[in-house]
Amino acid sequence: MKAKGYLYVFGMGMQKAMVYRADFFLGLVSCLFPIVMQVFLWNALYAAGAAEANGYTYEQMMLYTLLAGVTARIVATGFENEVAADIKTGGLNRYLVKPMDHGRYTLAQFLGGKAAGIALLLAVTAAVLAGAAAVFGLAFAPLRLAVYALSLVLALALYFSIFYTIALLAFWLTEIDQLFGTISIVIMVMSGGVFPLDIFGPAAAVLSAVLPFGYTTQFCVNIVSGRLGWGGIGCGLLMQLGWCAVFTGLHTLLWRRGVRRYAAVGG
């Protein structure tokens, strides 16, 4: 399929997301509750004397909590259940008989479905940064904000690649829905979407730097907060690109082998 065809799929994804407006806005509002709960939690902990948690001042922790919650929502997926259902029920047939790449089709539809939400969440991010600058007196370098935006693009690509790879396991696993839920929770924690992993010490910081998950949330937030120097930022961007390449190669391999054993029943 030519680029024009994928743009059409992108548009279809946007239309599909906006058809159910109430569900769309409730989904965005729901992400506020975990953030509010964490704000109250950290307020209580710092008030009780848990100040300077492994180098995080109160202001830095509040900024991290707010930005991490929004960033995790920006990169979150949701297409994996549909991919797995298509493989299980035979819905994949309609893609195999058309001149299109299933991965690119899924990516185009995924981005289309998230476009409006991402625009709104970026506005929320701008409001968070403006509020942090006004309330906490924090300053944000324009160049760091630009690199943060770049890291978000790579984080979104990495998150998509991870979950597309997991979704393709449906070629071999009959029931995979529960696996998605479990992995989503694990990745949310390992990505730093709940709290920064380096508060648990050097070992956790090294683990976060080695595994791909931290580069979907924690790395992006630390660019803005100033906890990373430019050398660390450069290495982090390269790690994002490297992990994207790894998972792209992995899901390409899984797709080729999975299609060979796929039984085109139903659909």
Side-chain angles (χ1 to χ4, degrees):
M1 181 185 288
K2 296 181 180 179
K4 185 178 180 180
Y6 292 112
L7 287 175
Y8 178 75
V9 174
F10 177 88
M12 288 174 55
M14 289 187 65
Q15 293 175 20
K16 183 179 179 181
M18 297 309 297
V19 165
Y20 305 100
R21 295 183 183 87
D23 183 64
F24 171 76
F25 286 108
L26 286 174
L28 292 177
V29 171
S30 67
C31 75
L32 296 177
F33 291 101
I35 296 175
V36 171
M37 291 173 62
Q38 289 176 61
V39 167
F40 280 108
L41 173 64
W42 286 116
N43 271 318
L45 289 175
Y46 275 84
E52 306 287 332
N54 203 35
Y56 282 85
T57 64
Y58 171 78
E59 292 79 8
Q60 288 176 329
M61 186 59 74
M62 288 299 102
L63 176 63
Y64 184 93
T65 299
L66 295 171
L67 273 186
V70 178
T71 301
R73 185 68 183 184
I74 289 175
V75 302
T77 59
F79 64 87
E80 56 272 10
N81 289 290
E82 185 176 347
V83 172
D86 281 342
I87 294 173
K88 181 179 178 181
T89 62
L92 195 64
N93 298 353
R94 62 182 180 271
Y95 302 106
L96 299 179
V97 298
K98 295 178 181 178
M100 66 173 65
D101 179 88
H102 184 263
R104 293 176 184 175
Y105 178 93
T106 305
L107 177 61
Q109 190 174 52
F110 165 67
L111 292 177
K114 288 188 68 73
I118 289 176
L120 184 58
L121 288 170
L122 288 177
V124 173
T125 301
V128 168
L129 294 174
V135 176
F136 300 134
L138 301 175
F140 304 104
L143 183 56
R144 281 186 176 269
L145 295 178
V147 178
Y148 168 71
L150 173 61
S151 71
L152 274 183
V153 174
L154 295 176
L156 188 63
L158 176 56
Y159 217 82
F160 171 85
S161 297
I162 291 172
F163 274 90
Y164 186 62
T165 300
I166 296 170
L168 293 183
L169 293 178
F171 281 119
W172 292 270
L173 302 178
T174 305
E175 296 295 336
I176 198 173
D177 293 344
Q178 297 302 319
L179 179 63
F180 290 142
T182 302
I183 291 178
S184 294
I185 294 173
V186 171
I187 291 180
M188 173 63 74
V189 175
M190 294 298 294
S191 69
V194 179
F195 39 70
L197 297 180
D198 49 6
I199 65 173
F200 296 108
V206 170
L207 190 65
S208 176
V210 172
L211 297 177
F213 313 118
Y215 294 100
T216 63
T217 302
Q218 181 169 308
F219 168 69
C220 304
V221 176
N222 284 341
I223 292 175
V224 180
S225 66
R227 288 183 63 84
L228 287 176
W230 288 108
I233 292 173
C235 290
L237 293 174
L238 289 176
M239 288 293 286
Q240 283 184 311
L241 288 170
W243 278 116
C244 281
V246 168
F247 280 100
T248 298
L250 185 56
H251 70 61
T252 299
L253 178 63
L254 289 177
W255 172 262
R256 290 175 179 173
R257 294 193 175 183
V259 168
R260 292 175 187 169
R261 72 188 308 278
Y262 172 67
V265 179

